[in-house]
Amino acid sequence: PASPASLFSVDLPCFWIDPEASRRDELITLAQAAGAQLTLDADDPNVVLVVQPWGNDTAGFCVQRGLDSTRCVAIDPLPPLDRHRTLMTSIAATARTRAAALALFSTDGTPATLIADSPGFIVQRVLAMIVNIAANIAQRGIASVPDIEDAVRLGLGYPNGPLSWGDEIGAMRVLDILRNLGAATGDSRYRPTLWLRRRAELGLSLLEDGVDRG
């Protein structure tokens, strides 16, 4: 029988999966199921590097970590990997890297999309901003936490309120995404609110209201 990779007319190279990747065990399982070889040697010029940055773009992440951007592909760690996989590479990535990444992460039939290099991918950036806007509303005393949650769920039909989403992702993780987005872009709209920062750093739930106005 044909191997999964042969269905895409791509010979899978050897892959290195970042030891710090948030979903590393899942990525290893996916790679093994696809018949790919894995290695711990990130310096081998024939190896494709798989990373999972939070709030960064691939280029910036490679610079920070000293990785070869021509061989590196990032996969969003936030959405569940059994539904859809969002991949991105830097502008320096080779065609071989892009093709190998799409082949690897599509072999089981799960949709995979390769996007242009973008800080925070798409889902991370959008959700972190939604959480931060809700935190700003709470900080300014415009609405209480329960009212913010109800307004978004009932008024907009979202499955979760924004601060519940923040708790699900992790307040500290949201804070990290915003800080990395701000560092990568220099855009002030990603500046975390004090309301969010204080709760994240103290390990508090974002669903806790309280007097916090400055």
Side-chain angles (χ1 to χ4, degrees), residues 157-170:
Y158 284 18
N160 294 309
L163 300 172
S164 295
W165 249 327
D167 269 1
E168 185 174 331
I169 298 168

Side-chain angles (χ1 to χ4, degrees), residues 23 26 30 75-76 78-86 105-106 108-113 159-160 165 168:
R23 296 180 180 268
E26 294 176 66
L30 287 173
I75 178 168
D76 194 346
L78 184 52
L81 296 180
D82 60 348
R83 298 180 184 177
H84 187 273
R85 296 151 193 171
T86 302
F105 292 112
S106 300
D108 61 357
T110 301
T113 302
N160 294 309
W165 249 327
E168 185 174 331

Side-chain angles (χ1 to χ4, degrees), residues 1-209:
S3 67
S6 69
L7 299 176
F8 293 83
S9 300
V10 172
D11 292 327
L12 288 179
C14 194
F15 289 86
W16 172 87
I17 298 176
D18 186 359
E20 298 180 17
S22 299
R23 296 180 180 268
R24 188 170 191 270
D25 290 344
E26 294 176 66
L27 293 174
I28 289 173
T29 298
L30 287 173
Q32 291 174 336
Q37 297 294 315
L38 299 176
T39 181
L40 297 177
D41 184 6
D43 295 326
D44 185 331
N46 296 311
V47 169
V48 173
L49 313 175
V50 179
V51 299
Q52 291 196 300
W54 291 96
N56 286 312
D57 57 7
T58 314
F61 189 81
C62 287
V63 171
Q64 290 176 10
R65 295 282 301 278
L67 300 173
D68 183 353
S69 62
T70 67
R71 299 184 287 114
C72 191
V73 59
I75 178 168
D76 194 346
L78 184 52
L81 296 180
D82 60 348
R83 298 180 184 177
H84 187 273
R85 296 151 193 171
T86 302
L87 315 174
M88 66 182 185
T89 58
S90 78
I91 58 174
T94 64
R96 172 181 178 271
T97 297
R98 292 191 293 269
L102 279 171
L104 175 65
F105 292 112
S106 300
T107 52
D108 61 357
T110 301
T113 302
L114 181 63
I115 65 172
D117 207 8
S118 177
F121 293 87
I122 298 170
V123 175
Q124 288 183 33
R125 186 170 65 248
V126 171
L127 286 183
M129 288 188 66
I130 289 173
V131 174
N132 202 38
I133 290 170
N136 186 44
I137 292 172
Q139 177 174 300
R140 295 170 64 187
I142 296 173
S144 68
V145 167
D147 287 345
I148 295 170
E149 291 286 288
D150 289 343
V152 171
R153 286 190 302 103
L154 301 177
L156 299 178
Y158 284 18
N160 294 309
L163 300 172
S164 295
W165 249 327
D167 269 1
E168 185 174 331
I169 298 168
M172 199 66 209
R173 180 71 76 190
V174 174
L175 184 60
D176 287 341
I177 292 171
L178 290 168
R179 284 172 169 168
N180 288 335
L181 284 167
T185 65
D187 195 328
S188 62
R189 63 179 167 167
Y190 298 121
R191 183 173 60 244
T193 65
L194 288 173
W195 193 97
L196 171 63
R197 178 181 63 77
R198 288 166 177 161
R199 282 157 178 75
E201 293 178 347
L202 291 173
L204 300 177
S205 168
L206 298 182
L207 295 175
E208 293 185 23
D209 215 336

